[in-house]
Amino acid sequence: MAERIGILTGGGDCPGLNAVIRAVVKSASRLGWETLGIHNGFEGLLEPVSYHRLDHREMGALLTSGGTVLGTTNRGRFSAKTGHGERNAIPREILDEAKRNFEALGLRALVCVGGDGSLSIAQQLFEHGVPVVGVPKTIDNDLEATVITFGFDSAVACATDALDRLHTTAASHNRVMVLEVMGRYAGWIACHAGIAGGGDIILIPEIPFSYDSICRKITEREAMGRLFTLVVVAEGARARGGDFVTQGATAADREARLGGIGSAVAGEIGRRTGKETRVVVLGHLQRGGGPTTFDRLLCTRFGARAVKLVQEQMYGYMVALRPPDTSAVKITDAIGRLRTVPVDGDIVQTAKMLGISFGDE
Ligand code: F6P
């Protein structure tokens, strides 16, 4: 029997998952290895075990397609994350069962593609004796030890496109347009899209805002004859002294669902300035569809490097981008610490130089 490796995709989906799968399968097949695709994240390793063999000749369409052909989940018996910085220990019997089934499948190693939650599960499996290699995924870009995660560029492209569209309608109607973007407790998507899309005000979790400051910026623009304003709000942004805005009750085994701050901001701006204000919540559009050119390349590099790590038996390691090259970092160096936007860093400073407000001055 040929040597076999397994691959799974965990947590929320994002553009580029299929491109990683393709790169892993193609690279593995060149080493004479078979690849089994485990279904629905780590759940596929529990009874009833669910997987299929991935044929390297059928990978063509995966480079550009959205979603994941393996399915994924961010809930279930493997929930490793319940909140901001909180972490669950996976029950021993679940780890035992997954390890047993991993061995019964005759796998040499398991490539785990995921963000902080999934890589935290991968680390626990590794400590339990399963040889794992990680690939960093998340549109939020909030993982440590890599300069970028795949999926982020595609999400930023989507949000920037939305801003381009909002720009013309805002200008035609002299309105304030508020765009709420994802990113959880990090403002990477808001900052990158906000700058690239010509936003006037960017609100991020790292910089608590005040409504006085936001409205001052809008009135200053009015005084200069700029009668419309584009506001980009990260879903995790909050007013000074305020709390995160969430949707509905949070299940015990899940992270809080952020969302709704865009409406709150739009409502308050409308009340205070009297300007017509509209809100758009971009939501899961940022996670859907195919990857950008940048992400296709990154995913392909990550997938190929992950197979190399298996070949080198670098278990417990994750692929990372440390320009100009990909490299290997310990999974423990990437998880458990949220990578947020540095408030004194180049991105925020660039925005401030251009007169973009963060609602803090
Ligand atoms: O972590 C990716 C992400 O899209 C976050 O930006 C967002 O807060 C969350 O997942 C949404 O999760 P769900 O798909 O469960 O609504």
Side-chain angles (χ1 to χ4, degrees):
M1 192 172 80
E3 279 228 61
R4 289 175 149 185
I5 61 170
I7 181 168
L8 59 80
T9 53
D13 72 339
C14 78
L17 286 163
N18 284 333
V20 174
I21 295 168
R22 169 183 176 270
V24 165
V25 173
K26 285 177 79 97
S27 307
S29 93
R30 290 181 55 80
L31 296 173
W33 301 347
E34 252 179 29
T35 306
L36 300 190
I38 312 293
H39 297 164
N40 302 321
F42 295 89
E43 289 291 309
L45 281 176
L46 300 180
E47 302 299 338
V49 175
S50 180
Y51 66 92
H52 71 281
R53 204 169 75 78
L54 293 161
D55 187 332
H56 68 96
R57 289 159 302 196
E58 290 170 10
M59 293 294 115
L62 294 199
L63 181 58
T64 56
S65 63
T68 162
V69 288
L70 300 178
T72 186
T73 178
N74 50 12
R75 59 189 313 171
R77 290 168 286 179
F78 272 100
S79 293
K81 233 178 126 183
T82 49
H84 189 188
E86 291 162 21
R87 198 150 296 276
N88 269 347
I90 309 289
R92 194 186 169 86
E93 61 275 16
I94 297 287
L95 294 171
D96 282 343
E97 185 179 333
K99 186 176 177 205
R100 239 184 355 261
N101 289 329
F102 168 89
E103 285 166 356
L105 289 173
L107 298 175
R108 168 189 176 128
L110 184 63
V111 178
C112 302
V113 188
D116 188 58
S118 305
L119 292 173
S120 163
I121 298 168
Q123 175 62 24
Q124 293 186 50
L125 275 174
F126 173 63
E127 287 165 12
H128 209 67
V130 178
V132 306
V133 158
V135 180
K137 163 238 73 165
T138 168
I139 64 164
D140 305 336
N141 201 31
D142 59 359
L143 265 182
E144 283 288 355
T146 179
V147 301
I148 195 166
T149 56
F150 78 84
F152 171 65
D153 185 68
S154 302
V156 169
C158 173
T160 306
D161 180 56
L163 279 170
D164 289 345
R165 290 164 189 273
L166 290 176
H167 198 148
T168 57
T169 174
S172 306
H173 286 266
N174 292 333
R175 281 173 167 164
V176 176
M177 284 288 182
V178 177
L179 177 69
E180 181 183 307
V181 298
M182 284 184 166
R184 244 191 257 270
Y185 301 103
W188 293 106
I189 298 177
C191 281
H192 281 234
I195 296 171
D200 305 299
I201 299 172
I202 301 175
L203 306 177
I204 57 175
E206 294 83 348
I207 306 179
F209 62 83
S210 86
Y211 284 109
D212 284 349
S213 167
I214 293 172
C215 295
R216 200 177 312 122
K217 175 70 184 175
I218 294 170
T219 359
E220 271 169 28
R221 283 177 56 76
E222 298 262 330
M224 293 187 312
R226 311 292 284 161
L227 303 181
F228 71 94
T229 297
L230 283 181
V231 185
V232 186
V233 189
E235 62 182 357
R238 51 181 168 167
R240 248 177 237 154
D243 212 345
F244 299 114
V245 180
T246 57
Q247 295 181 18
T250 307
D253 65 341
R254 301 209 62 186
E255 282 203 277
R257 275 181 67 204
L258 295 171
I261 183 68
S263 288
V265 167
E268 197 60 28
I269 290 174
R271 264 190 299 283
R272 289 183 180 225
T273 64
K275 282 197 71 71
E276 265 204 312
T277 306
R278 298 287 187 269
V279 61
V280 172
V281 180
L282 202 49
H284 290 79
L285 289 173
Q286 293 157 100
R287 297 229 309 251
T292 54
T293 309
F294 178 89
D295 269 337
R296 284 187 211 178
L297 178 60
L298 184 64
C299 291
T300 304
R301 295 174 77 189
F302 276 176
R305 186 70 192 257
V307 171
K308 199 147 190 273
L309 293 191
V310 174
Q311 200 183 10
E312 292 160 351
Q313 301 188 30
M314 300 265 294
Y315 303 131
Y317 278 77
M318 178 190 92
V319 178
L321 186 68
R322 300 267 177 93
D325 295 324
T326 58
S327 64
V329 297
K330 284 197 166 152
I331 293 177
T332 47
D333 289 340
I335 58 175
R337 286 182 305 274
L338 204 62
R339 190 168 71 96
T340 52
V341 177
V343 295
D344 297 323
D346 183 70
I347 284 290
V348 170
Q349 294 315 314
T350 299
K352 288 195 167 174
M353 289 289 290
L354 286 173
I356 296 172
S357 164
F358 285 84
D360 61 332
E361 282 168 3

